[in-house]
């Protein structure tokens, strides 16, 4: 409106400029304005695509990259606001339901493994879980991304290797343990394929690295 008023030579330009400066003074000093502008621009472009009647798949062209649903979508927040954004997928309901449900299933199956045939003491499993959570949250706080998918992918990697390390070479794993590890492995694979199709490549790279993180963590605890 300021630019339009200036181009038209309107006296309203001065009033608009003063209002703009007053609003700008109320913006928190630690707000990442570039990230905020980028998000607003993305939302505006997506709205125009909808108005033009383009399919939803075209919206992916303007979606930011990481987080399972959007990349660096938490960059505009600071402090507890950024932490909340990380843990709730910036309000993406679909990703919240998918990933927290997967986390619950993974933890439940992990408990079956720990109580079934794992050679590691419970305290080391707990320490590994805590490490995965701290790693995921710290990474997203630094990068401004969101999500918890690194946690369940890392746990899946740890469980798979743990299953391959029985106490004795001839030890037969309990059926419930095989079902638990198999379920987590299959679900992790399906969700990773899903995010490979709907999210940017960076998300898939993060998931693969998380699986490797779980395997390396279990190997280090051998």
């Amino acid at each position: 409106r300021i630019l339009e008023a200036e181009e038209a030579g309107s006296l309203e330009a001065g009033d608009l400029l003063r209002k703009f400066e007053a609003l700008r003074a109320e913006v928190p000093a630690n707000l990442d304005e570039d990230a905020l502008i980028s998000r607003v621009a993305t939302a505006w472009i997506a709205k125009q695509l909808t108005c033009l009647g383009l399919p939803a798949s075209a919206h992916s062209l303007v979606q930011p990259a990481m987080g399972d649903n959007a990349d660096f979508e938490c960059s505009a927040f600071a402090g507890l606001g950024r932490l909340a954004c990380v843990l709730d997928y910036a309000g993406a309901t679909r990703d919240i339901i998918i990933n927290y449900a997967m986390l619950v299933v993974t933890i439940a199956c992990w408990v079956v493994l720990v109580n079934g045939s794992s050679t590691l003491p419970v305290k080391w499993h707990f320490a590994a879980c805590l490490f995965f959570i701290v790693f995921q949250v710290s990474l997203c706080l630094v990068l401004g991304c969101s999500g918890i998918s690194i946690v369940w992918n890392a746990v899946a990697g740890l469980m798979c290797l743990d299953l391959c390390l029985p106490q004795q070479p001839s030890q037969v794993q309990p059926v419930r343990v095989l079902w638990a590890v198999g379920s987590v492995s299959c679900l992790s694979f399906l969700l990773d394929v899903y995010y490979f199709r709907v999210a940017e490549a960076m998300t898939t790279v993060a998931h693969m690295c998380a699986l490797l993180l779980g395997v390396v963590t279990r190997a280090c605890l051998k």
Side-chain angles (χ1 to χ4, degrees):
R1 290 177 59 188
I2 292 173
L3 292 176
E4 292 174 353
E6 289 178 343
E7 291 176 356
S10 173
L11 296 177
E12 185 185 15
D15 292 335
L16 290 173
L17 184 59
R18 283 190 291 273
K19 290 180 180 179
F20 173 76
E21 293 298 336
L23 290 172
R24 188 182 183 87
E26 297 178 4
V27 176
N30 60 349
L31 182 66
D32 188 335
E33 294 184 36
D34 290 337
L36 183 59
I37 292 173
S38 176
R39 293 182 65 196
V40 172
T42 299
W44 182 85
I45 295 173
K47 182 178 180 181
Q48 303 312 307
L49 292 176
T50 301
C51 293
L52 291 173
L54 294 178
S57 58
H59 294 193
S60 62
L61 298 176
V62 297
Q63 289 293 333
M66 192 164 152
D68 294 331
N69 193 39
D71 190 8
F72 306 147
E73 65 271 39
C74 297
S75 299
F77 298 90
L80 292 178
R82 177 173 288 201
L83 177 60
C85 179
V86 168
L87 296 178
D88 74 351
Y89 280 87
T93 305
R94 179 195 62 187
D95 290 322
I96 293 174
I97 294 174
I98 290 175
N99 285 275
Y100 278 97
M102 181 60 192
L103 182 62
V104 170
V105 171
T106 302
I107 296 299
C109 291
W110 198 2
V111 171
V112 173
L113 173 66
V114 172
N115 294 330
S117 63
S118 179
T119 59
L120 282 181
V122 175
K123 64 179 181 180
W124 287 116
H125 282 281
F126 179 79
C129 182
L130 184 62
F131 166 67
F132 296 150
I133 294 173
V134 171
F135 178 82
Q136 166 85 86
V137 173
S138 299
L139 181 67
C140 285
L141 287 176
V142 172
L143 297 181
C145 58
S146 69
I148 59 167
S149 57
I150 287 179
V151 176
W152 53 259
N153 269 292
V155 172
L158 184 147
M159 290 177 65
C160 288
L161 183 59
D162 191 85
L163 183 67
C164 298
L165 298 174
Q167 293 180 354
Q168 300 175 359
S170 59
Q171 179 182 357
V172 178
Q173 299 288 359
V175 175
R176 67 179 185 279
V177 172
L178 296 176
W179 271 104
V181 177
S183 298
V184 169
S185 299
C186 291
L187 288 174
S188 296
F189 174 76
L190 291 175
L191 285 182
D192 287 341
V193 170
Y194 166 74
Y195 278 115
F196 172 75
R197 294 179 61 85
V198 303
E200 296 295 330
M202 185 62 70
T203 300
T204 299
V205 172
H207 288 170
M208 296 302 100
C209 290
L211 287 169
L212 181 61
L213 174 65
V215 171
V216 172
T217 300
R218 178 61 183 89
C220 290
L221 296 175
K222 182 177 179 181

